[in-house]
Amino acid sequence: VGLLITGCQKNSSSGTKNQDKITVVQNATVDSLDPILAYQNTSSTVVANTAEGLYTIDAHDKPQLALASKVETSNHGLTKTFTIRENAKWSNGDPVTANDFVFAWRRLSDPKIASAFNFQPGAAGIKNANDIVAGKKPVKSLGVKATGPKTLVVQLDHVVPYMNKLLAFSDFAPVNQKYFEKAGKKFAQDSSHLIYSGPYQIKDWKLGDNTIQLVKNPKYWDAKNVKIKNVKLDIITDPEKAAIAFENGSADYVHLSGQLVSKYRKDKNFVNDVGNFTQYIMFNLKKPGLDNADLRKAISCSINRKEITTHILKDGSIPSHSMVMKDLVKNPTTGKDFADESTTNLYEYSPAQAKKYWNKAKKATNLRSFTLLYDDSDPSYANVAAYIKAQVEKHLPGMKVTLQQVAKKTRTDKMSKATYDATLTRWGPDYADPTAILSMYQSKNDSNYGRWANSEFDKLMAQSDQTTDQAKRYKLLLKANNILIDSASCPPLYQIGAPVLERSNIKDLPMHIAGVPFFFKYASIK
Amino acid sequence: MTNIENNDFEFAHKSETVDHYSGKSYSYGQLVWHRFLRNKGAVISAVVLIIIALIAILAPYLSQYSPTTPYPNQSNLAPGVNGHWFGTDNLGRDIFVRVAAGTSVSLRVALVAMAIDLVIGTSYGLISGYFGGKIDLFMQRITEILSTIPMIIIVTLLVLVMKPGLVSIITAMMIVGWINMSRIVRAQVLELKTSEYVLSAKTMGESDIKIIFSQILPNTLGQIITTFMLSIPNAIFLEAFLAFIGLGVPAPLASLGTMINDGYTQAIVYPYMVIFPVLFLALIMLSFNIIADGLRDAIEGS
Amino acid sequence: MKKYVLKRILIAVITLFLITLILFIMEKAMPGSPFNDEKMSHAQIAALYHKYGLDGPVPLQFLNYLKNMLSGDFGVSYTVQVNTPVTTMILQHFTISLQIGLQATVLGSVLGFLMGILAAIKKGTIWDNLMTGISVLGISLPNFVVALIVSIIFSYKLMVFPGTYQPTQPFVSSILPTIALSTFTMASIERYVRNDMIDIMNSDYYRLADSKGIKKFQLIGHHVIRNTLISVITVLAPLMIDLIAGSMVIEKAFAIPGLGTLYISAIQANDYNVVLGITFFYAVLFIGIMLIVDILYGLIDPRIRLDEGK
Amino acid sequence: MTKNILEVHHLKQYFPVANKKIVKAVDDVSFNITNGETFGLVGESGSGKTTIGRSIIRLYWPTAGEVIFEGEQIAGQLSKKQTAKLRKDMQMIFQDPMSSLNPRKKVGDIVKLGLDIHYPKLTKDEKLQKVIEMLKIVGLDSSFVNRYPQELSGGQRQRVGIARVVIMHPRLIIADEAISALDVSVQAQVVNLLQRIQRESGSAMLFIAHDLAMVKHISSHIGVIHLGHIVEIGPTEAIFDDPVHPYTKSLLTAIPTTNPIAEQNKKLSNYHAFRQQYENKEMADLGNGHYAIDDGSWTK
Amino acid sequence: MTETVLEIKNLQVAYHTDHGQVQAVRGISYQVKKGETVALVGESGCGKSASVKPIMGEKEANQIIKSGEINFTYQTENGPQTVNLLKISPKIMQNRIKGKEIAMVFQDPMTSLDPTMKINKQIAEAVKASHPEMNKDQINERVLNLIETVGIQNMKVVQNQYPHQLSGGMRQRIVIAIALAGNPSLLICDEPTTGLDVTIQAKILNLIKDIQKSRKLSVIFITHNLGVVANIATYVNVMYAGKIVETGTSQDIFFEPRHPYTWGLLESVPDINEKVDELPTIAGTIPDLTQPIVGDAFAPRNKYALNIDFKKQPPMFKINDHHYAATWLLDKRAPKVPIPAVLQKRILKMKGAS
Ligand SMILES: Nc1ncnc2c1ncn2[C@@H]1O[C@H](COP(=O)(O)OP(=O)(O)OP(=O)(O)O)[C@@H](O)[C@H]1O
Ligand SMILES: Nc1ncnc2c1ncn2[C@@H]1O[C@H](COP(=O)(O)OP(=O)(O)OP(=O)(O)O)[C@@H](O)[C@H]1O
Ligand SMILES: [Mg+2]
Ligand SMILES: [Mg+2]
């Protein structure tokens, strides 16, 4: 034990030795490589890089046409006609056809398959998608058609401004119907039952392995622009092990934990990004006492978010004042960040405010204790929960907080059954639009676990759906956001940090905040 | 022949009809105690254990810090800084006080679980072994089935179904922990019940209950104590193991296991977060093991 | 003997049935469903329940499960490795656990055996104290602590072995886990062998064999070690099961995608079929090895063999 | 004729063992013990001597046959009263002085046990008084009350074993190889003690041994048992002076004597028998209560 | 005069225990000549085993050999050679002496055979150790030969059995066969019949006697039963509390015993030919050997103890060339004590009978 010597200040070697190979460490296992079932972000990364769709996202977070060579819009933007590239081929030599998309998207919408992402065609505005998912219309009625082998016509219910970005997500990837049917149950279970339309293909892999090797797909239409020949994804859940792998030179890109940040802050390979999740407390408004807004506000004001991020987490996370996270959406007219425009003083640390609200709440309710639920999927939650407990008990004299740690599935179960008081939870957007977060607070939404209901909020959300004017829509959503945060029904705490070690000579491999985290096609080594 | 006396060659006539016992007599307990005291390793371990227990009990009074209240701006201080002997953790809590509190949680878990095991295991083994026949057959089938289920299955599932916490950890240990004890006791009883002194008590008309408690039990005590002592480190380990796979006592409570688990992923950055709980855990385990060994040697007699 | 084996198998079958039943019920009682997720709607979950046949009455589900089980079909994974047959998954992950477990068993038992022999032969000397010291330490240090120590030394400081399991170099990357996993076995075997050997060396038959004037190594080899080996099997078997079944702790510490890791993630994900399948597999493994050991024991030890065979 | 304190008629004791087999440890054994006399039972190891003793005292449930103790049948189901009487009036001294005393109990408590069970009305002091008296009778002084059995020599332990039994004034003592494990020099001490106690208390004794010389000294009647059957039974003189059965003869010649000349010229008999040879055979009456099994291995 | 095979000089053995040092053997000396049987008799715990263990080089961890010599003479290519067994290297002991020159038969036949090894293998091991030149067939033949020698008829069956399948008597025969495998010149039998019943005891004694005669073996025979000694011994050493108290030929000891302890031992063997009311006994128990012994260790139990017995250790008084006894009763100043009457009568009867 005496050999554990701290403060070993060796700087990790700066660049990869190898010019065309990188190893990226991921912390989630691969659950499936079937595009519509791939749920964990490692899975969607692999799918997106091997089964390219109509779009990809470039290094500057901009959607770029991928398998589609061009797109024409008509009918007030409600019909989009995509032309599939002539040279788009599957790795088995089959041409990629429009039908591959129709087939794939119908599977995605099929309520029987119940893909976790089956809300996405609806979110993209594709015609009838929501009704199909709800079982009201047959799958065939989905607004996609192949009018020729290379012509894909998509019909929309309404225009969705961020549709291109959405279509870059892995679940919209094409599926070769013939191959799929031949592979049967084995489809995507291992690398010999997969074919690829994207820049990479998978070498010697089966579901359950904790390493995936991607090698350049020679049949890829844009193969000449793919610079890195090999990408290895290693799954290591322990960030310290990952850091050691980085130091050993066996990894080139690893995620760090807050504790490791203090060790690597000065390292030239260190990159401190923010992540795409907002961490917040969700109150169960069905619980007597917790429906009292003053109580919730008192709790919110007693928490010093800055202290959490700088002293406890230390991972570059930032205090959060908005449900919509930073860097996700910009004001279409001013270019200001949505998160900065949503302001309220409820989330500033203020013992005085807290006391004021608490005194008010004490008169209205006799709730003097509640349980704070959190799960064990990240070690930091326990620390944050312990901190909240201490703060609340300090500033709200007479209030007692009980901590309860459960498995994540148990927490979500309690949330969906509303058998909890308050829970520490987080939400990440599936696409870069405020609705990706706000829509779940609509009173009818299944994911509205706090059971918060506000008719004005609902109305604003419905309006925004129908609005094609981006500026106007932005305003509606901002207003809805403010209603939500002023209610303190789900006080945000912080937006998580995403500190990483990345070899300094790797270029153009940003981590995208929403959707698929990595597109390796654009990356290169200098 | 220096000092021959006159009567030397006369008969001494020291006829004794009754045997007389001279020499000091030790009770069995004293004998074991003496033998134990001669085992240096075991005595040192016992002292270490007592010191650790004292630390666990007294630390809250010795230190001005609380094991649970976070002081985020004091987080991750190195040992010695600001009077934190073992440093502070990610929430700025004093590690020394936390280790002490964790030790007491670990020890309590182990002791409670083992005490219950002791009661269940011993009585199960006694009954099964002494009455034999169909009762034994039936009871043995139960243990046989229970013991074919890997322990880890029972423990993990139980802790998952119930909510993680002291109660469920202890229950889980109870369900599986007693089997070993019952086996050992049963084997002993089977051996002892055919021993001549038990048969003799039977032929004198002693009741079964009395035979079990006054003839058999005292003779199995040595084995029981040894097994008990050896199961304590097992229980501590089990608790630490549960903590390690994320099923430990819930925060802000900390056991040594949960502390090690927390510190584990920071070992290269803040090694002291894991060194101290590991040190305490290892010392406790080591001490119990050595004491158990010493006790066994003392009981079996060398 | 045949009857005895049959009886044991019958008990095993009953045990397996009970385990399956109890587990089935427990899983239904567990909070949460496999498909629980913040983003899943009720309709989606219901559809998935229907798709996987989880929406019927529990007794019927159980019967179905049993029926499929008898034909070797343990269902598919719901979330961990979506739609992979459980048998495939177990085989795949067990192979890794088995490799490391066997390595650890061999390393631990061979080392423990040698150390035990050394300690017993040199009883009372510094060697004995050294070996005993190592073994007490080995028994007292939880394997995750050993894992921590070896990975810091060999992976972080010296950088000689990778700290995580790499399927591309399955042997080199399994060295550290093997060491961490084998310490307890080594320590227990050492103790056991030492004590057993000392007992044997105090036995009358050892005295007689010694009085024959045969060479010391022959004496130790033929009479002491042989007899020790016989009884070591009984301690080694349960240890070995622990090792090859996939130590969750070591697998977690070294990021090994073994059966233990799979088991934990399946439990945490409520992946019923996987949990049931692995549990069943564990139980079969455990019961099977114990049965084999009993039979082996009978085959090796003539006292048991002949009494049964009469 | 004096009354029989114990009558054993056609006692059988079988034990089931593995694979549905049975061991016929005792097969069709009959003998009587009259009040106050000592009946010796001799035979080689494994011949069933212990089993007979244990069946009589009901440590086993006899397979068949009658055991009549002071006029009462005690082979079958026993009433509470019968059990109490049996447990008080019939006592057993065990073979192994090492294992017949509970190592965790003091000598005083061991001897006192019978009083605790059967005389609950006695006060503590009265019991202690009786214990000390009893110890004196077996030649141990009161300093032994607080000793543990491990601290005693074999002979002393066996005397404690006797004291424990005799303190209850049993009517019948079963001494199962009570001296076999002792040194020759100590055997005599114990035999003398047993005889003295018997003289004083008038209790009868079933004396089990494999050494004919001691048996001769202590018993008035002897039964020779072989392979679960009594092969010859009769008054001691008859057995020693006119043995008829070859097995008895072989036992007699095997007794070691302290005569080097005779010993060195001793001829051993080569008797060998099978279990079947004794099965379902009548006992031939040789007069004077002397019987031998009529198995054809000898002629009248 | 026949040659001396073994000569023990002033051997003192102690054991270190919790309660102090047990003075198990307090200085004994005797000789064993070729073809003779020397018996060691005495009560349990008087040091019989402790005195022969050093001959076989058996060293318990707590054993202390305080003094003495054990001179063993054996034949080599270069003629007879005498070594002090306490001084030679363990290697020579193992390779040259054990099993080849000196063999041993232990007390408990039930536990002295390896339970997991077939009989023929256990004997073959001993054969191989002493005859490394033999090939497999020769060894086999010799094993069968040995089994036959110890009086087992169905040797073909027995050789393939395991120890637990044999009766106690059979096992003891196998142990003897093993002892004979190396053609030793000295055989040590430590209570080889104590665990057996009388009939089997008699047979084993006969067997040992036969073998001893036919092979001109020297034998050290340990027992606490004088009856057994009468059967087998040429010379008898009576031991008490770690010392030899009387030594002499068989005739000396049985017909002219001089030590009260020997009298006691002889008396306590019941005689089936006479009727006594009470058996003669030796009262009391042997002394605690951890305590220092002043005077004659036997004095407290001795009916005829003199005052000097409690003060001074008696020397060995010579009775004749081969008969000595350590009792003050033989001192010329001591009162004359005759052999106890009962014993005297018995001796006379025996003498007359033979
Ligand atoms: N409980 C039992 N179960 C099975 N067999 C038994 C049992 N008790 C005794 N036997 C068998 O019965 C036979 C007679 O045994 P018993 O103990 O009565 O002999 P013994 O004459 O007392 O012998 P020893 O002199 O060795 O004490 C033996 O073959 C023994 O193996
Ligand atoms: N290894 C030992 N450690 C301690 N004391 C011992 C040891 N071996 C023998 N003794 C003691 O030495 C004394 C002599 O023992 P020894 O075995 O020589 O007696 P013995 O004459 O052979 O008796 P027995 O007839 O019982 O075999 C006894 O008091 C015994 O307790
Ligand atoms: Mg018996
Ligand atoms: Mg001895």
Side-chain angles (χ1 to χ4, degrees), chain D:
Chain D
M1 236 185 94
T2 34
K3 204 174 139 239
N4 286 335
I5 186 166
L6 183 81
E7 292 179 17
V8 176
H9 299 298
H10 307 288
L11 179 70
K12 290 184 184 176
Q13 184 71 59
Y14 297 170
F15 295 107
V17 287
N19 295 334
K20 299 225 160 95
K21 292 208 171 122
I22 47 167
V23 169
K24 300 183 175 179
V26 171
D27 210 357
D28 199 11
V29 161
S30 309
F31 61 92
N32 301 330
I33 302 179
T34 45
N35 259 327
E37 82 151 353
T38 298
F39 182 85
L41 199 56
V42 284
E44 66 184 12
S45 181
S47 55
K49 306 182 295 291
T50 300
T51 310
I52 291 179
R54 292 188 177 181
S55 302
I56 292 172
I57 204 162
R58 288 306 297 275
L59 282 172
Y60 301 143
W61 188 285
T63 312
E66 294 183 339
V67 178
I68 294 162
F69 179 55
E70 301 210 298
E72 288 208 53
Q73 169 68 263
I74 56 163
Q77 189 77 46
L78 293 179
S79 71
K80 237 192 169 128
K81 214 178 106 222
Q82 278 176 315
T83 312
K85 178 182 161 45
L86 174 70
R87 292 295 175 231
K88 186 170 159 299
D89 287 348
M90 194 192 285
Q91 289 299 326
M92 189 154 181
I93 300 169
F94 288 86
Q95 169 169 8
D96 187 357
M98 295 305 186
S99 73
S100 61
L101 305 180
N102 189 337
R104 299 284 181 276
K105 293 218 168 253
K106 291 181 178 167
V107 166
D109 294 329
I110 292 172
V111 176
K112 193 164 62 97
L113 180 67
L115 297 179
D116 287 341
I117 299 169
H118 294 286
Y119 301 93
K121 293 211 184 76
L122 292 179
T123 67
K124 234 178 156 178
D125 286 343
E126 284 168 336
K127 283 183 196 164
L128 184 63
Q129 208 46 51
K130 278 186 185 287
V131 168
I132 290 176
E133 267 168 41
M134 194 62 235
L135 284 177
K136 199 156 282 156
I137 291 174
V138 298
L140 303 171
D141 77 0
S142 58
S143 67
F144 281 85
V145 168
N146 287 320
R147 304 289 155 215
Y148 285 88
Q150 303 88 290
E151 303 173 60
L152 311 187
S153 73
Q156 288 169 337
R157 287 187 212 195
Q158 204 57 304
R159 283 186 268 161
V160 172
I162 292 170
R164 158 176 73 182
V165 159
V166 173
I167 200 168
M168 297 167 70
H169 303 295
R171 306 287 306 131
L172 176 67
I173 297 171
I174 299 173
D176 182 11
E177 313 217 24
I179 55 168
S180 305
L182 302 175
D183 264 354
V184 199
S185 54
V186 185
Q187 285 185 357
Q189 289 178 1
V190 174
V191 166
N192 287 343
L193 173 64
L194 281 172
Q195 271 188 311
R196 210 175 72 230
I197 286 169
Q198 221 189 342
R199 268 202 309 276
E200 284 161 16
S201 68
S203 48
M205 179 152 67
L206 173 61
F207 188 86
I208 298 173
H210 61 238
D211 178 0
L212 263 173
M214 281 297 178
V215 174
K216 180 187 180 222
H217 175 74
I218 198 169
S219 358
S220 52
H221 281 78
I222 289 177
V224 179
I225 183 168
H226 193 214
L227 301 175
H229 293 262
I230 287 194
V231 295
E232 191 161 358
I233 189 170
T236 304
E237 301 77 45
I239 298 289
F240 275 81
D241 299 342
D242 306 306
V244 294
H245 199 275
Y247 181 67
T248 315
K249 288 180 181 165
S250 76
L251 275 184
L252 285 170
T253 45
I255 300 170
T257 65
T258 52
N259 184 345
I261 302 163
E263 275 293 319
Q264 281 169 21
N265 301 323
K266 189 145 92 180
K267 290 255 160 11
L268 295 178
S269 81
N270 231 339
Y271 178 72
H272 193 76
F274 296 99
R275 211 166 267 279
Q276 293 88 325
Q277 182 182 330
Y278 297 142
E279 268 167 21
N280 304 318
K281 294 281 159 36
E282 295 289 313
M283 296 296 280
D285 190 346
L286 302 167
N288 251 342
H290 186 183
Y291 299 86
I293 198 163
D294 191 6
D295 61 348
S297 62
W298 55 282
T299 44
K300 281 177 209 174

Side-chain angles (χ1 to χ4, degrees), chain A residues 93-203:
Chain A
D94 289 357
V96 177
T97 64
N99 181 59
D100 294 341
F101 286 91
V102 177
F103 175 71
W105 294 9
R106 283 183 180 164
R107 279 187 76 224
L108 176 60
S109 311
D110 190 340
K112 286 212 204 70
I113 294 175
S115 161
F117 294 113
N118 68 7
F119 65 91
Q120 288 220 3
I126 297 175
K127 199 170 161 190
N128 293 336
N130 285 333
D131 286 343
I132 293 169
V133 169
K136 290 182 200 144
K137 284 195 175 150
V139 179
K140 282 221 164 68
S141 64
L142 188 70
V144 280
K145 264 193 209 73
T147 52
K150 292 279 182 185
T151 317
L152 180 71
V153 179
V154 180
Q155 288 183 308
L156 304 177
D157 282 331
H158 57 268
V159 174
V160 174
Y162 45 88
M163 183 190 177
N164 297 356
K165 256 189 169 174
L166 212 51
L167 290 182
F169 195 65
S170 54
D171 56 343
F172 285 106
V175 172
N176 182 327
Q177 183 171 6
K178 210 170 78 200
Y179 186 83
F180 176 85
E181 279 157 5
K182 206 179 93 210
K185 280 190 175 156
K186 291 241 165 81
F187 178 71
Q189 293 287 334
D190 55 42
S191 49
S192 51
H193 292 91
L194 273 170
I195 51 171
Y196 317 95
S197 61
Y200 291 95
Q201 53 190 24
I202 303 168
K203 200 174 113 187

Side-chain angles (χ1 to χ4, degrees), chain C residues 216-236:
Chain C
K216 209 83 193 173
F217 73 85
Q218 212 181 347
L219 181 67
I220 303 276
H222 284 190
H223 296 279
V224 183
I225 293 182
R226 241 176 63 99
N227 280 291
T228 310
L229 257 179
I230 290 174
S231 45
V232 160
I233 297 177
T234 36
V235 260
L236 189 60

